[in-house]
Amino acid sequence: MTVAMDANALNRFLAGEFPQIAGSFRVEALEGDVLTARLIVAGEHLRPGGTVSGPSIFALADVAVYCAILSRIGPVALAVTTNASIDFMRKPAAGTDLLARCTLLKLGRSLAVAEALIFSEGLAEPVARCSMTYSIPPK
Amino acid sequence: MTVAMDANALNRFLAGEFPQIAGSFRVEALEGDVLTARLIVAGEHLRPGGTVSGPSIFALADVAVYCAILSRIGPVALAVTTNASIDFMRKPAAGTDLLARCTLLKLGRSLAVAEALIFSEGLAEPVARCSMTYSIPPK
Amino acid sequence: MTVAMDANALNRFLAGEFPQIAGSFRVEALEGDVLTARLIVAGEHLRPGGTVSGPSIFALADVAVYCAILSRIGPVALAVTTNASIDFMRKPAAGTDLLARCTLLKLGRSLAVAEALIFSEGLAEPVARCSMTYSIPPK
Amino acid sequence: MTVAMDANALNRFLAGEFPQIAGSFRVEALEGDVLTARLIVAGEHLRPGGTVSGPSIFALADVAVYCAILSRIGPVALAVTTNASIDFMRKPAAGTDLLARCTLLKLGRSLAVAEALIFSEGLAEPVARCSMTYSIPPK
């Protein structure tokens, strides 16, 4: 498989197309099948008690899957999430960034499927798992 | 079934416990089995082009399900989402609030299951559907 | 919306195309948006203790969604399930048929989304809920 | 983590408790975190054209997750599936057994979460992915 955009290109793309969120998310690495993305946790992502909120975890998974797809097909901004399934399994560690490790399972002409595990940085047991389907517009 | 908290009580609870998000979400009505919640759409919820973002739709469904459960069991702040499945079906209308219509399907001692349809206000076809499971802590 | 196949036409289609399972499933009614399908419970569907198995409940939801889609688009045998999410909420009643009440939420050119509630016949509380996405082949 | 039942013990348990299905499913291996289970494909699992049916794929994932949990907690027959999410990504190869590779992601006191990839034997690209939650009864 060919890499159409590497981590740097993906981060430039996020900054250009999604300036509202680009300060919170960063593609860390793209190694073989696995893309790693980071949520730079700030006050806006927290619930009372200092836990990262469910919607913020969802957003991280969404960015990771989106970037994993674009890493193969290039800057197709209009790819959209059609389905997501997420299991919240453990409370994230307080005051710690989250990392998503995302694997692309299928890249078809019109549908792509990926899964991601979400971790508090430095911990081995996942906070959440997520699978998502994206619809890819015809060229 | 008994109502433990009505719409006003739920809104007061959100304002007290989740001040970061209480300005964005409001319980509109609680009628029989169905709770309706509103996302007051603002700039922070939008993607380029003016569409409400996926994480914001997720957040609305989460608030609606949480409040539907609390409407029966009272102010148990520590109930947590364990699973969510969401289908994004249509692009939300630009510049329009979203409404979630949520139905509680199961309220067990330790698990509750609910589903929600999400609409752009005034439109008949749903933007998204979501089902969620919450874990309820022992008393 | 137009009805392309009614309950009788759907049952004839199942008998012709899926003879292995047509004896177990029957479309009961198609009323407005809602299609009702029955699983005629027999020994092969049971787990020890007489409960209908999870895969049999899944199969009923799948038949109901498939028929709800075909009721609109006609006998497109090659429509396939791409995603399913199911919550098992209560133990089915022993020795009782199951009914699925299925609602089509989206019927696009290439994707259809539907949800179904599954009941033990005669009981008000659902045994399970399911949402499914089907991919519809181009004509 | 301790292994409470190995592959042989799991197969004996299936044969004793679930004789209706034990001829179709077999635990192949339990290596570290990963349990591999096989669906011995026969006529009853096929759709017209020779493809393994969706409910049969679901059943394989369910057996794999169930056995992965029991491998840790021992023969708790009453553990039940509460949620499943499945993506069907590719058509299974005709006339070929399916293998599920299942990883346990969380084993709590009352809930366990696992994911599985399903393959046609000998092929590298997965047919389906599935995640499931089981409820474990109190001792």
Side-chain angles (χ1 to χ4, degrees):
Chain A
M1 65 218 165
T2 317
V3 172
M5 300 174 83
D6 64 11
N8 285 334
L10 290 164
N11 285 321
R12 282 194 303 269
F13 176 83
L14 289 181
E17 298 285 325
F18 301 96
Q20 311 98 310
I21 63 163
S24 294
F25 299 96
R26 190 169 65 213
V27 177
E28 295 282 297
L30 180 60
E31 302 172 310
D33 264 357
V34 180
L35 181 142
T36 304
R38 175 185 298 266
L39 171 62
I40 303 160
V41 172
E44 64 192 289
H45 307 115
L46 301 180
R47 286 275 188 271
T51 306
V52 179
S53 73
S56 298
I57 295 173
F58 178 92
L60 172 59
D62 201 22
V63 166
V65 170
Y66 184 60
C67 288
I69 295 169
L70 297 200
S71 76
R72 302 286 182 83
I73 66 171
V76 181
L78 293 178
V80 293
T81 316
T82 57
N83 174 265
S85 165
I86 189 161
D87 292 289
F88 298 99
M89 298 185 289
R90 295 176 183 89
K91 203 173 163 170
T96 306
D97 282 358
L98 292 183
L99 297 173
R101 283 208 320 244
C102 174
T103 308
L104 203 54
L105 297 175
K106 175 185 171 163
L107 180 58
R109 267 169 309 172
S110 62
L111 291 180
V113 180
E115 60 183 8
L117 288 174
I118 316 287
F119 299 84
S120 288
E121 189 171 19
L123 297 185
E125 297 197 307
V127 162
R129 63 145 294 282
C130 186
S131 40
M132 288 191 170
T133 301
Y134 264 72
S135 174
I136 302 170
K139 288 178 189 174
Chain B
M1 66 218 166
T2 316
V3 171
M5 300 173 83
D6 64 11
N8 285 334
L10 290 164
N11 286 320
R12 282 194 304 271
F13 176 83
L14 288 180
E17 297 284 327
F18 301 97
Q20 310 99 311
I21 63 162
S24 295
F25 300 98
R26 190 168 66 213
V27 177
E28 295 281 298
L30 181 60
E31 301 171 311
D33 265 357
V34 180
L35 181 141
T36 304
R38 175 185 296 267
L39 171 62
I40 302 160
V41 172
E44 66 191 288
H45 308 115
L46 301 181
R47 286 276 187 271
T51 306
V52 180
S53 73
S56 298
I57 295 173
F58 178 91
L60 172 59
D62 201 23
V63 166
V65 170
Y66 184 60
C67 288
I69 295 168
L70 298 199
S71 77
R72 302 286 182 82
I73 67 172
V76 181
L78 292 178
V80 294
T81 317
T82 57
N83 173 266
S85 165
I86 188 161
D87 292 288
F88 298 99
M89 298 184 290
R90 295 177 183 88
K91 204 173 163 170
T96 306
D97 282 359
L98 292 183
L99 296 173
R101 285 208 319 245
C102 175
T103 308
L104 204 54
L105 297 175
K106 175 184 172 162
L107 181 57
R109 268 170 309 172
S110 63
L111 291 180
V113 180
E115 60 184 7
L117 287 174
I118 315 288
F119 300 84
S120 287
E121 189 171 21
L123 297 185
E125 296 196 308
V127 161
R129 65 146 292 282
C130 187
S131 39
M132 288 190 172
T133 301
Y134 264 72
S135 174
I136 302 170
K139 288 178 189 173
Chain C
M1 68 216 164
T2 317
V3 171
M5 299 173 82
D6 64 10
N8 284 335
L10 289 164
N11 285 321
R12 282 195 302 269
F13 176 82
L14 289 180
E17 297 284 326
F18 300 95
Q20 310 97 313
I21 63 163
S24 295
F25 299 97
R26 190 168 66 213
V27 177
E28 294 281 299
L30 180 60
E31 301 171 311
D33 265 356
V34 181
L35 180 142
T36 304
R38 174 185 297 268
L39 171 63
I40 303 160
V41 172
E44 65 192 292
H45 308 113
L46 301 181
R47 285 277 185 273
T51 306
V52 180
S53 74
S56 298
I57 294 173
F58 178 92
L60 172 59
D62 201 23
V63 166
V65 170
Y66 183 62
C67 287
I69 295 168
L70 298 198
S71 76
R72 301 286 183 83
I73 67 172
V76 180
L78 292 178
V80 293
T81 315
T82 57
N83 174 266
S85 166
I86 189 161
D87 292 289
F88 298 98
M89 299 186 287
R90 296 177 182 87
K91 204 173 164 171
T96 305
D97 282 358
L98 292 182
L99 296 173
R101 284 208 320 245
C102 175
T103 308
L104 203 54
L105 296 176
K106 175 183 173 164
L107 180 57
R109 267 170 309 171
S110 63
L111 291 180
V113 180
E115 59 183 8
L117 288 173
I118 315 289
F119 299 85
S120 288
E121 188 170 23
L123 297 184
E125 297 196 307
V127 161
R129 65 146 291 283
C130 187
S131 39
M132 288 190 172
T133 301
Y134 263 73
S135 174
I136 302 170
K139 286 176 192 176
Chain D
M1 70 218 162
T2 318
V3 171
M5 300 174 82
D6 64 11
N8 284 335
L10 289 164
N11 285 321
R12 283 194 303 269
F13 176 82
L14 289 180
E17 297 286 324
F18 300 97
Q20 310 98 312
I21 63 163
S24 295
F25 300 97
R26 189 169 65 214
V27 177
E28 294 281 298
L30 180 60
E31 301 171 311
D33 265 357
V34 180
L35 181 143
T36 303
R38 175 185 296 268
L39 171 63
I40 303 160
V41 171
E44 65 193 290
H45 308 115
L46 302 181
R47 285 276 186 273
T51 306
V52 179
S53 74
S56 299
I57 294 173
F58 178 92
L60 171 60
D62 202 22
V63 166
V65 170
Y66 184 61
C67 288
I69 295 169
L70 297 199
S71 76
R72 302 288 182 83
I73 67 172
V76 181
L78 293 178
V80 294
T81 315
T82 58
N83 174 265
S85 166
I86 189 161
D87 292 288
F88 298 98
M89 299 185 288
R90 296 176 182 88
K91 202 173 164 171
T96 305
D97 281 359
L98 292 182
L99 296 174
R101 284 209 318 245
C102 175
T103 308
L104 203 53
L105 297 175
K106 176 185 172 161
L107 180 58
R109 268 170 309 172
S110 63
L111 292 180
V113 179
E115 60 184 7
L117 288 173
I118 315 288
F119 300 85
S120 288
E121 188 171 21
L123 297 184
E125 297 197 307
V127 162
R129 64 144 294 282
C130 187
S131 38
M132 288 190 171
T133 301
Y134 263 72
S135 174
I136 302 170
K139 287 176 190 175

